Amino acid sequence: MQYSQLSDLPDSVTQTLPKHAQEIYQAAFNSAWQQYAKPQDRHSDDGREEVAHKVAWSAVKKSYHKNDQGKWVKD
């Protein structure tokens, strides 16, 4: 299931990430959801949704990091 709106994202994303990071997460998740639709396209036994979430978090971490207070901030 792709995310059509930011409000559809999991609480763990909407409650911790700034809006721009949520947009990155959404775009990366949706792209990975399509790219890894077939099990043979995945490099592990992880399910489609799990792979898409991993890709999305990885995309966010390219531009954001957690600061000393535990808040996600832009690099």
Side-chain angles (χ1 to χ4, degrees), residues 49-65:
E49 186 171 3
E50 186 174 356
V51 168
H53 283 296
K54 287 179 180 181
V55 168
W57 276 113
S58 180
V60 167
K61 290 175 182 178
K62 289 181 180 181
S63 299
Y64 286 83
H65 70 276

Side-chain angles (χ1 to χ4, degrees), residues 2 5-6 8-9 11 17-18 20-21 30-31 36 40 45 48 53 64 69-71:
Q2 293 185 314
Q5 301 177 66
L6 295 181
D8 295 334
L9 293 170
D11 289 344
L17 295 179
H20 181 246
N30 289 346
S31 177
Y36 298 110
Q40 62 267 26
D45 291 332
R48 184 180 184 187
H53 283 296
Y64 286 83
Q69 291 77 39
K71 298 206 183 251

Side-chain angles (χ1 to χ4, degrees), residues 26-37:
Q26 178 187 25
F29 181 96
N30 289 346
S31 177
W33 181 260
Q34 295 214 357
Q35 184 176 353
Y36 298 110

